[in-house]
Amino acid sequence: ILSACSAALVCYAVYSFVWVYGMMCSPMIVQYDCDSRDVGNPEWVNLGRRFCGLAFVLTTFFFMNISNISCATGVAAWYFKDADAPKSPGWVGFRWGFTTLLPANGVATVLMYVIMRIRRLSSSIWTNCSTCGVCYLMWCMVGRCFETLTRFALVCTVYRGGGFFDGAKKGHAVLLSVLGDGL
């Protein structure tokens, strides 16, 4: 499991290096306007930088989810002892994160990004207002709950297969059977 999670970290580090290199080289793309004798970056370069910034955040969550999938697969192989279990379940989870569970990983990545953006927006708005401190604390709890449920749905998808929303429904059923009306 540790080697598969380390491999996900190495993939993320290589991706980060390539991304930083590309962002450092992007100002070197210039355009000369003959009429105004002005040198500057074309608009598509500026749009590309914005897109790459968003893509970098999304792929950060993607690689974190790959690590979670590897861990969940290893724990499932340990807990549900089976003769047909793979010899290295962490690596199987690593491969699944890029292949079989790619749609579920993508949905979880987008949900985690939306939660992160809402959390950042709420912290900048509500922390400045002393009367909304209770609202901010409530959002912190609700946001963490959504983040945990998203990860739990991804883990249920690893354990049971199917799509992300099928895993979320099965995970919700498990939580209801364990927690009852507390959920």
Side-chain angles (χ1 to χ4, degrees), residues 134-179:
V134 174
C135 295
Y136 175 71
L137 290 175
M138 290 300 291
W139 167 246
C140 286
M141 289 187 284
V142 169
R144 291 288 181 192
C145 182
F146 281 132
E147 187 176 335
T148 303
L149 289 176
T150 301
R151 286 190 177 145
F152 190 69
L154 186 62
V155 168
C156 286
T157 303
V158 170
Y159 286 170
R160 299 194 179 242
F164 179 80
F165 295 108
D166 292 335
K169 287 178 188 175
K170 292 173 186 173
H172 184 260
V174 169
L175 285 176
L176 278 179
S177 68
V178 173
L179 297 177

mmCIF file of all heavy atoms in Angstrom, residues 134-179:
data_model
loop_
_atom_site.group_PDB
_atom_site.id
_atom_site.type_symbol
_atom_site.label_atom_id
_atom_site.label_comp_id
_atom_site.label_asym_id
_atom_site.label_seq_id
_atom_site.Cartn_x
_atom_site.Cartn_y
_atom_site.Cartn_z
ATOM 1 N N VAL A 134 -21.357 32.059 14.281
ATOM 2 C CA VAL A 134 -22.078 30.795 14.433
ATOM 3 C C VAL A 134 -22.350 30.187 13.059
ATOM 4 O O VAL A 134 -22.201 28.978 12.860
ATOM 5 C CB VAL A 134 -23.389 31.018 15.213
ATOM 6 C CG1 VAL A 134 -24.219 29.752 15.254
ATOM 7 C CG2 VAL A 134 -23.090 31.519 16.611
ATOM 8 N N CYS A 135 -22.717 31.024 12.090
ATOM 9 C CA CYS A 135 -22.963 30.533 10.724
ATOM 10 C C CYS A 135 -21.677 29.947 10.135
ATOM 11 O O CYS A 135 -21.706 28.906 9.480
ATOM 12 C CB CYS A 135 -23.471 31.660 9.837
ATOM 13 S SG CYS A 135 -25.070 32.309 10.315
ATOM 14 N N TYR A 136 -20.572 30.603 10.389
ATOM 15 C CA TYR A 136 -19.293 30.112 9.877
ATOM 16 C C TYR A 136 -18.956 28.762 10.498
ATOM 17 O O TYR A 136 -18.525 27.840 9.805
ATOM 18 C CB TYR A 136 -18.190 31.131 10.153
ATOM 19 C CG TYR A 136 -16.816 30.642 9.754
ATOM 20 C CD1 TYR A 136 -16.488 30.512 8.419
ATOM 21 C CD2 TYR A 136 -15.878 30.303 10.705
ATOM 22 C CE1 TYR A 136 -15.243 30.056 8.030
ATOM 23 C CE2 TYR A 136 -14.637 29.846 10.334
ATOM 24 C CZ TYR A 136 -14.318 29.720 9.005
ATOM 25 O OH TYR A 136 -13.094 29.257 8.636
ATOM 26 N N LEU A 137 -19.133 28.624 11.790
ATOM 27 C CA LEU A 137 -18.850 27.344 12.449
ATOM 28 C C LEU A 137 -19.765 26.243 11.922
ATOM 29 O O LEU A 137 -19.324 25.102 11.724
ATOM 30 C CB LEU A 137 -18.994 27.481 13.960
ATOM 31 C CG LEU A 137 -17.924 28.307 14.651
ATOM 32 C CD1 LEU A 137 -18.254 28.475 16.125
ATOM 33 C CD2 LEU A 137 -16.557 27.674 14.472
ATOM 34 N N MET A 138 -21.025 26.575 11.682
ATOM 35 C CA MET A 138 -21.943 25.585 11.114
ATOM 36 C C MET A 138 -21.489 25.157 9.723
ATOM 37 O O MET A 138 -21.535 23.982 9.388
ATOM 38 C CB MET A 138 -23.367 26.152 11.059
ATOM 39 C CG MET A 138 -24.018 26.316 12.412
ATOM 40 S SD MET A 138 -24.165 24.758 13.300
ATOM 41 C CE MET A 138 -25.370 23.926 12.320
ATOM 42 N N TRP A 139 -21.043 26.130 8.903
ATOM 43 C CA TRP A 139 -20.583 25.770 7.573
ATOM 44 C C TRP A 139 -19.340 24.903 7.649
ATOM 45 O O TRP A 139 -19.178 23.974 6.863
ATOM 46 C CB TRP A 139 -20.309 26.983 6.706
ATOM 47 C CG TRP A 139 -19.545 26.559 5.495
ATOM 48 C CD1 TRP A 139 -18.284 26.886 5.165
ATOM 49 C CD2 TRP A 139 -19.983 25.636 4.486
ATOM 50 N NE1 TRP A 139 -17.898 26.238 4.013
ATOM 51 C CE2 TRP A 139 -18.928 25.460 3.577
ATOM 52 C CE3 TRP A 139 -21.159 24.934 4.264
ATOM 53 C CZ2 TRP A 139 -19.012 24.630 2.470
ATOM 54 C CZ3 TRP A 139 -21.238 24.102 3.158
ATOM 55 C CH2 TRP A 139 -20.189 23.967 2.286
ATOM 56 N N CYS A 140 -18.442 25.189 8.603
ATOM 57 C CA CYS A 140 -17.250 24.353 8.756
ATOM 58 C C CYS A 140 -17.642 22.912 9.024
ATOM 59 O O CYS A 140 -17.080 21.987 8.431
ATOM 60 C CB CYS A 140 -16.358 24.878 9.881
ATOM 61 S SG CYS A 140 -15.452 26.361 9.455
ATOM 62 N N MET A 141 -18.620 22.704 9.885
ATOM 63 C CA MET A 141 -19.061 21.342 10.188
ATOM 64 C C MET A 141 -19.743 20.703 8.980
ATOM 65 O O MET A 141 -19.481 19.554 8.651
ATOM 66 C CB MET A 141 -20.003 21.354 11.393
ATOM 67 C CG MET A 141 -19.293 21.666 12.695
ATOM 68 S SD MET A 141 -20.330 21.496 14.136
ATOM 69 C CE MET A 141 -21.309 22.982 14.018
ATOM 70 N N VAL A 142 -20.613 21.453 8.320
ATOM 71 C CA VAL A 142 -21.319 20.909 7.155
ATOM 72 C C VAL A 142 -20.334 20.630 6.020
ATOM 73 O O VAL A 142 -20.404 19.587 5.354
ATOM 74 C CB VAL A 142 -22.442 21.876 6.705
ATOM 75 C CG1 VAL A 142 -23.011 21.479 5.365
ATOM 76 C CG2 VAL A 142 -23.533 21.930 7.751
ATOM 77 N N GLY A 143 -19.384 21.531 5.805
ATOM 78 C CA GLY A 143 -18.387 21.331 4.747
ATOM 79 C C GLY A 143 -17.538 20.105 4.993
ATOM 80 O O GLY A 143 -17.273 19.320 4.080
ATOM 81 N N ARG A 144 -17.078 19.924 6.230
ATOM 82 C CA ARG A 144 -16.300 18.722 6.565
ATOM 83 C C ARG A 144 -17.144 17.468 6.398
ATOM 84 O O ARG A 144 -16.642 16.430 5.974
ATOM 85 C CB ARG A 144 -15.767 18.799 7.996
ATOM 86 C CG ARG A 144 -14.716 19.824 8.193
ATOM 87 C CD ARG A 144 -13.426 19.407 7.559
ATOM 88 N NE ARG A 144 -12.434 20.444 7.799
ATOM 89 C CZ ARG A 144 -11.293 20.500 7.197
ATOM 90 N NH1 ARG A 144 -10.971 19.596 6.320
ATOM 91 N NH2 ARG A 144 -10.448 21.459 7.451
ATOM 92 N N CYS A 145 -18.419 17.562 6.740
ATOM 93 C CA CYS A 145 -19.314 16.416 6.580
ATOM 94 C C CYS A 145 -19.446 16.046 5.102
ATOM 95 O O CYS A 145 -19.339 14.873 4.740
ATOM 96 C CB CYS A 145 -20.675 16.743 7.176
ATOM 97 S SG CYS A 145 -21.858 15.397 7.094
ATOM 98 N N PHE A 146 -19.658 17.035 4.226
ATOM 99 C CA PHE A 146 -19.742 16.758 2.789
ATOM 100 C C PHE A 146 -18.438 16.172 2.257
ATOM 101 O O PHE A 146 -18.445 15.248 1.445
ATOM 102 C CB PHE A 146 -20.089 18.026 2.009
ATOM 103 C CG PHE A 146 -21.542 18.388 2.050
ATOM 104 C CD1 PHE A 146 -21.938 19.677 2.334
ATOM 105 C CD2 PHE A 146 -22.518 17.445 1.792
ATOM 106 C CE1 PHE A 146 -23.269 20.029 2.381
ATOM 107 C CE2 PHE A 146 -23.854 17.775 1.828
ATOM 108 C CZ PHE A 146 -24.236 19.069 2.126
ATOM 109 N N GLU A 147 -17.319 16.717 2.706
ATOM 110 C CA GLU A 147 -16.023 16.208 2.257
ATOM 111 C C GLU A 147 -15.831 14.750 2.690
ATOM 112 O O GLU A 147 -15.391 13.913 1.909
ATOM 113 C CB GLU A 147 -14.918 17.085 2.837
ATOM 114 C CG GLU A 147 -13.546 16.766 2.329
ATOM 115 C CD GLU A 147 -12.510 17.733 2.872
ATOM 116 O OE1 GLU A 147 -12.844 18.878 3.230
ATOM 117 O OE2 GLU A 147 -11.339 17.324 2.933
ATOM 118 N N THR A 148 -16.189 14.445 3.930
ATOM 119 C CA THR A 148 -16.064 13.079 4.433
ATOM 120 C C THR A 148 -17.011 12.138 3.703
ATOM 121 O O THR A 148 -16.628 11.015 3.346
ATOM 122 C CB THR A 148 -16.340 13.054 5.942
ATOM 123 O OG1 THR A 148 -15.434 13.952 6.584
ATOM 124 C CG2 THR A 148 -16.164 11.674 6.522
ATOM 125 N N LEU A 149 -18.235 12.580 3.461
ATOM 126 C CA LEU A 149 -19.188 11.733 2.731
ATOM 127 C C LEU A 149 -18.731 11.495 1.295
ATOM 128 O O LEU A 149 -18.943 10.413 0.745
ATOM 129 C CB LEU A 149 -20.579 12.355 2.763
ATOM 130 C CG LEU A 149 -21.285 12.322 4.121
ATOM 131 C CD1 LEU A 149 -22.607 13.066 4.039
ATOM 132 C CD2 LEU A 149 -21.495 10.898 4.596
ATOM 133 N N THR A 150 -18.099 12.487 0.677
ATOM 134 C CA THR A 150 -17.574 12.298 -0.678
ATOM 135 C C THR A 150 -16.474 11.242 -0.677
ATOM 136 O O THR A 150 -16.447 10.359 -1.537
ATOM 137 C CB THR A 150 -17.031 13.628 -1.229
ATOM 138 O OG1 THR A 150 -18.086 14.588 -1.240
ATOM 139 C CG2 THR A 150 -16.486 13.456 -2.630
ATOM 140 N N ARG A 151 -15.585 11.327 0.289
ATOM 141 C CA ARG A 151 -14.518 10.313 0.375
ATOM 142 C C ARG A 151 -15.093 8.943 0.706
ATOM 143 O O ARG A 151 -14.636 7.929 0.186
ATOM 144 C CB ARG A 151 -13.492 10.731 1.415
ATOM 145 C CG ARG A 151 -12.621 11.834 0.930
ATOM 146 C CD ARG A 151 -11.469 12.085 1.857
ATOM 147 N NE ARG A 151 -10.620 13.119 1.293
ATOM 148 C CZ ARG A 151 -9.986 14.011 1.997
ATOM 149 N NH1 ARG A 151 -10.081 14.007 3.311
ATOM 150 N NH2 ARG A 151 -9.232 14.907 1.419
ATOM 151 N N PHE A 152 -16.093 8.898 1.579
ATOM 152 C CA PHE A 152 -16.721 7.633 1.923
ATOM 153 C C PHE A 152 -17.403 7.022 0.704
ATOM 154 O O PHE A 152 -17.351 5.812 0.498
ATOM 155 C CB PHE A 152 -17.718 7.830 3.064
ATOM 156 C CG PHE A 152 -18.234 6.552 3.642
ATOM 157 C CD1 PHE A 152 -17.403 5.721 4.379
ATOM 158 C CD2 PHE A 152 -19.544 6.169 3.461
ATOM 159 C CE1 PHE A 152 -17.876 4.538 4.913
ATOM 160 C CE2 PHE A 152 -20.028 4.991 3.985
ATOM 161 C CZ PHE A 152 -19.191 4.170 4.718
ATOM 162 N N ALA A 153 -18.042 7.852 -0.112
ATOM 163 C CA ALA A 153 -18.673 7.349 -1.335
ATOM 164 C C ALA A 153 -17.623 6.790 -2.288
ATOM 165 O O ALA A 153 -17.845 5.759 -2.939
ATOM 166 C CB ALA A 153 -19.464 8.456 -2.013
ATOM 167 N N LEU A 154 -16.467 7.441 -2.362
ATOM 168 C CA LEU A 154 -15.388 6.935 -3.221
ATOM 169 C C LEU A 154 -14.875 5.596 -2.704
ATOM 170 O O LEU A 154 -14.648 4.662 -3.482
ATOM 171 C CB LEU A 154 -14.256 7.956 -3.292
ATOM 172 C CG LEU A 154 -13.119 7.654 -4.262
ATOM 173 C CD1 LEU A 154 -13.647 7.595 -5.693
ATOM 174 C CD2 LEU A 154 -12.051 8.713 -4.146
ATOM 175 N N VAL A 155 -14.731 5.474 -1.389
ATOM 176 C CA VAL A 155 -14.281 4.210 -0.804
ATOM 177 C C VAL A 155 -15.321 3.113 -1.035
ATOM 178 O O VAL A 155 -14.968 1.973 -1.370
ATOM 179 C CB VAL A 155 -13.967 4.394 0.695
ATOM 180 C CG1 VAL A 155 -13.777 3.063 1.392
ATOM 181 C CG2 VAL A 155 -12.735 5.259 0.877
ATOM 182 N N CYS A 156 -16.610 3.429 -0.891
ATOM 183 C CA CYS A 156 -17.665 2.443 -1.166
ATOM 184 C C CYS A 156 -17.656 2.022 -2.627
ATOM 185 O O CYS A 156 -17.937 0.868 -2.943
ATOM 186 C CB CYS A 156 -19.030 2.998 -0.784
ATOM 187 S SG CYS A 156 -19.287 3.046 0.982
ATOM 188 N N THR A 157 -17.329 2.943 -3.511
ATOM 189 C CA THR A 157 -17.222 2.594 -4.928
ATOM 190 C C THR A 157 -16.070 1.616 -5.141
ATOM 191 O O THR A 157 -16.183 0.680 -5.930
ATOM 192 C CB THR A 157 -17.010 3.863 -5.776
ATOM 193 O OG1 THR A 157 -18.082 4.765 -5.526
ATOM 194 C CG2 THR A 157 -16.966 3.541 -7.250
ATOM 195 N N VAL A 158 -14.975 1.806 -4.407
ATOM 196 C CA VAL A 158 -13.851 0.867 -4.503
ATOM 197 C C VAL A 158 -14.271 -0.505 -3.997
ATOM 198 O O VAL A 158 -13.989 -1.522 -4.625
ATOM 199 C CB VAL A 158 -12.634 1.388 -3.698
ATOM 200 C CG1 VAL A 158 -11.566 0.322 -3.579
ATOM 201 C CG2 VAL A 158 -12.063 2.631 -4.335
ATOM 202 N N TYR A 159 -14.958 -0.549 -2.855
ATOM 203 C CA TYR A 159 -15.334 -1.831 -2.257
ATOM 204 C C TYR A 159 -16.367 -2.592 -3.062
ATOM 205 O O TYR A 159 -16.273 -3.790 -3.215
ATOM 206 C CB TYR A 159 -15.894 -1.622 -0.851
ATOM 207 C CG TYR A 159 -14.863 -1.291 0.195
ATOM 208 C CD1 TYR A 159 -15.258 -0.877 1.447
ATOM 209 C CD2 TYR A 159 -13.496 -1.386 -0.040
ATOM 210 C CE1 TYR A 159 -14.326 -0.562 2.430
ATOM 211 C CE2 TYR A 159 -12.571 -1.073 0.922
ATOM 212 C CZ TYR A 159 -12.992 -0.666 2.158
ATOM 213 O OH TYR A 159 -12.082 -0.363 3.118
ATOM 214 N N ARG A 160 -17.354 -1.878 -3.579
ATOM 215 C CA ARG A 160 -18.487 -2.552 -4.189
ATOM 216 C C ARG A 160 -18.543 -2.460 -5.704
ATOM 217 O O ARG A 160 -19.320 -3.158 -6.334
ATOM 218 C CB ARG A 160 -19.779 -2.012 -3.606
ATOM 219 C CG ARG A 160 -19.868 -2.242 -2.119
ATOM 220 C CD ARG A 160 -21.257 -2.007 -1.664
ATOM 221 N NE ARG A 160 -21.364 -2.252 -0.244
ATOM 222 C CZ ARG A 160 -22.134 -3.187 0.268
ATOM 223 N NH1 ARG A 160 -22.835 -3.955 -0.513
ATOM 224 N NH2 ARG A 160 -22.211 -3.339 1.570
ATOM 225 N N GLY A 161 -17.785 -1.560 -6.300
ATOM 226 C CA GLY A 161 -17.822 -1.402 -7.742
ATOM 227 C C GLY A 161 -18.986 -0.536 -8.181
ATOM 228 O O GLY A 161 -19.733 -0.009 -7.372
ATOM 229 N N GLY A 162 -19.138 -0.382 -9.470
ATOM 230 C CA GLY A 162 -20.204 0.447 -10.000
ATOM 231 C C GLY A 162 -19.768 1.890 -10.132
ATOM 232 O O GLY A 162 -18.591 2.230 -9.999
ATOM 233 N N GLY A 163 -20.720 2.768 -10.362
ATOM 234 C CA GLY A 163 -20.430 4.181 -10.516
ATOM 235 C C GLY A 163 -20.330 4.887 -9.179
ATOM 236 O O GLY A 163 -20.608 4.315 -8.117
ATOM 237 N N PHE A 164 -19.945 6.148 -9.238
ATOM 238 C CA PHE A 164 -19.769 6.934 -8.015
ATOM 239 C C PHE A 164 -21.084 7.089 -7.276
ATOM 240 O O PHE A 164 -21.138 6.929 -6.055
ATOM 241 C CB PHE A 164 -19.189 8.311 -8.354
ATOM 242 C CG PHE A 164 -19.006 9.193 -7.163
ATOM 243 C CD1 PHE A 164 -17.916 9.042 -6.341
ATOM 244 C CD2 PHE A 164 -19.941 10.163 -6.850
ATOM 245 C CE1 PHE A 164 -17.752 9.837 -5.218
ATOM 246 C CE2 PHE A 164 -19.795 10.975 -5.752
ATOM 247 C CZ PHE A 164 -18.696 10.806 -4.927
ATOM 248 N N PHE A 165 -22.157 7.394 -7.983
ATOM 249 C CA PHE A 165 -23.433 7.621 -7.319
ATOM 250 C C PHE A 165 -24.021 6.325 -6.769
ATOM 251 O O PHE A 165 -24.708 6.333 -5.743
ATOM 252 C CB PHE A 165 -24.405 8.337 -8.256
ATOM 253 C CG PHE A 165 -23.944 9.730 -8.598
ATOM 254 C CD1 PHE A 165 -23.458 10.032 -9.862
ATOM 255 C CD2 PHE A 165 -23.958 10.727 -7.639
ATOM 256 C CE1 PHE A 165 -23.012 11.295 -10.159
ATOM 257 C CE2 PHE A 165 -23.511 12.007 -7.933
ATOM 258 C CZ PHE A 165 -23.042 12.288 -9.198
ATOM 259 N N ASP A 166 -23.750 5.185 -7.435
ATOM 260 C CA ASP A 166 -24.152 3.895 -6.867
ATOM 261 C C ASP A 166 -23.398 3.632 -5.571
ATOM 262 O O ASP A 166 -23.977 3.165 -4.587
ATOM 263 C CB ASP A 166 -23.880 2.758 -7.855
ATOM 264 C CG ASP A 166 -24.773 2.819 -9.073
ATOM 265 O OD1 ASP A 166 -25.869 3.401 -8.977
ATOM 266 O OD2 ASP A 166 -24.363 2.292 -10.123
ATOM 267 N N GLY A 167 -22.101 3.937 -5.569
ATOM 268 C CA GLY A 167 -21.306 3.792 -4.346
ATOM 269 C C GLY A 167 -21.793 4.715 -3.250
ATOM 270 O O GLY A 167 -21.812 4.347 -2.070
ATOM 271 N N ALA A 168 -22.215 5.927 -3.633
ATOM 272 C CA ALA A 168 -22.736 6.865 -2.641
ATOM 273 C C ALA A 168 -24.045 6.351 -2.038
ATOM 274 O O ALA A 168 -24.250 6.454 -0.826
ATOM 275 C CB ALA A 168 -22.951 8.237 -3.275
ATOM 276 N N LYS A 169 -24.920 5.772 -2.865
ATOM 277 C CA LYS A 169 -26.180 5.220 -2.348
ATOM 278 C C LYS A 169 -25.917 4.037 -1.420
ATOM 279 O O LYS A 169 -26.528 3.925 -0.352
ATOM 280 C CB LYS A 169 -27.073 4.771 -3.508
ATOM 281 C CG LYS A 169 -27.687 5.912 -4.278
ATOM 282 C CD LYS A 169 -28.507 5.385 -5.436
ATOM 283 C CE LYS A 169 -28.973 6.511 -6.329
ATOM 284 N NZ LYS A 169 -29.675 6.009 -7.517
ATOM 285 N N LYS A 170 -24.985 3.168 -1.821
ATOM 286 C CA LYS A 170 -24.665 2.020 -0.972
ATOM 287 C C LYS A 170 -24.001 2.475 0.328
ATOM 288 O O LYS A 170 -24.282 1.936 1.399
ATOM 289 C CB LYS A 170 -23.761 1.053 -1.730
ATOM 290 C CG LYS A 170 -24.461 0.374 -2.879
ATOM 291 C CD LYS A 170 -23.502 -0.438 -3.723
ATOM 292 C CE LYS A 170 -24.214 -0.992 -4.941
ATOM 293 N NZ LYS A 170 -23.305 -1.648 -5.860
ATOM 294 N N GLY A 171 -23.130 3.464 0.236
ATOM 295 C CA GLY A 171 -22.491 4.000 1.432
ATOM 296 C C GLY A 171 -23.495 4.647 2.366
ATOM 297 O O GLY A 171 -23.405 4.513 3.591
ATOM 298 N N HIS A 172 -24.469 5.357 1.787
ATOM 299 C CA HIS A 172 -25.524 5.972 2.592
ATOM 300 C C HIS A 172 -26.339 4.903 3.303
ATOM 301 O O HIS A 172 -26.694 5.058 4.483
ATOM 302 C CB HIS A 172 -26.418 6.833 1.704
ATOM 303 C CG HIS A 172 -27.469 7.572 2.462
ATOM 304 N ND1 HIS A 172 -28.772 7.123 2.518
ATOM 305 C CD2 HIS A 172 -27.410 8.704 3.200
ATOM 306 C CE1 HIS A 172 -29.482 7.953 3.253
ATOM 307 N NE2 HIS A 172 -28.678 8.918 3.685
ATOM 308 N N ALA A 173 -26.635 3.800 2.599
ATOM 309 C CA ALA A 173 -27.382 2.704 3.226
ATOM 310 C C ALA A 173 -26.583 2.092 4.376
ATOM 311 O O ALA A 173 -27.148 1.771 5.424
ATOM 312 C CB ALA A 173 -27.728 1.638 2.186
ATOM 313 N N VAL A 174 -25.274 1.934 4.199
ATOM 314 C CA VAL A 174 -24.428 1.399 5.281
ATOM 315 C C VAL A 174 -24.424 2.347 6.458
ATOM 316 O O VAL A 174 -24.554 1.939 7.624
ATOM 317 C CB VAL A 174 -22.987 1.150 4.758
ATOM 318 C CG1 VAL A 174 -22.045 0.864 5.909
ATOM 319 C CG2 VAL A 174 -22.978 0.001 3.775
ATOM 320 N N LEU A 175 -24.264 3.639 6.197
ATOM 321 C CA LEU A 175 -24.265 4.620 7.290
ATOM 322 C C LEU A 175 -25.613 4.632 8.017
ATOM 323 O O LEU A 175 -25.653 4.766 9.248
ATOM 324 C CB LEU A 175 -23.931 5.999 6.771
ATOM 325 C CG LEU A 175 -22.468 6.262 6.421
ATOM 326 C CD1 LEU A 175 -22.298 7.647 5.827
ATOM 327 C CD2 LEU A 175 -21.586 6.102 7.637
ATOM 328 N N LEU A 176 -26.709 4.525 7.274
ATOM 329 C CA LEU A 176 -28.023 4.495 7.924
ATOM 330 C C LEU A 176 -28.183 3.265 8.792
ATOM 331 O O LEU A 176 -28.761 3.334 9.875
ATOM 332 C CB LEU A 176 -29.145 4.537 6.885
ATOM 333 C CG LEU A 176 -29.521 5.915 6.354
ATOM 334 C CD1 LEU A 176 -30.631 5.776 5.309
ATOM 335 C CD2 LEU A 176 -29.961 6.814 7.466
ATOM 336 N N SER A 177 -27.677 2.118 8.331
ATOM 337 C CA SER A 177 -27.815 0.903 9.129
ATOM 338 C C SER A 177 -26.947 0.958 10.384
ATOM 339 O O SER A 177 -27.319 0.402 11.417
ATOM 340 C CB SER A 177 -27.450 -0.332 8.298
ATOM 341 O OG SER A 177 -26.069 -0.329 8.002
ATOM 342 N N VAL A 178 -25.827 1.661 10.316
ATOM 343 C CA VAL A 178 -24.941 1.756 11.479
ATOM 344 C C VAL A 178 -25.358 2.881 12.410
ATOM 345 O O VAL A 178 -25.447 2.705 13.621
ATOM 346 C CB VAL A 178 -23.475 1.944 11.028
ATOM 347 C CG1 VAL A 178 -22.562 2.222 12.202
ATOM 348 C CG2 VAL A 178 -22.995 0.727 10.264
ATOM 349 N N LEU A 179 -25.614 4.057 11.848
ATOM 350 C CA LEU A 179 -25.911 5.226 12.669
ATOM 351 C C LEU A 179 -27.406 5.422 12.923
ATOM 352 O O LEU A 179 -27.786 6.167 13.820
ATOM 353 C CB LEU A 179 -25.348 6.486 12.005
ATOM 354 C CG LEU A 179 -23.832 6.522 11.848
ATOM 355 C CD1 LEU A 179 -23.427 7.789 11.116
ATOM 356 C CD2 LEU A 179 -23.148 6.447 13.196
#
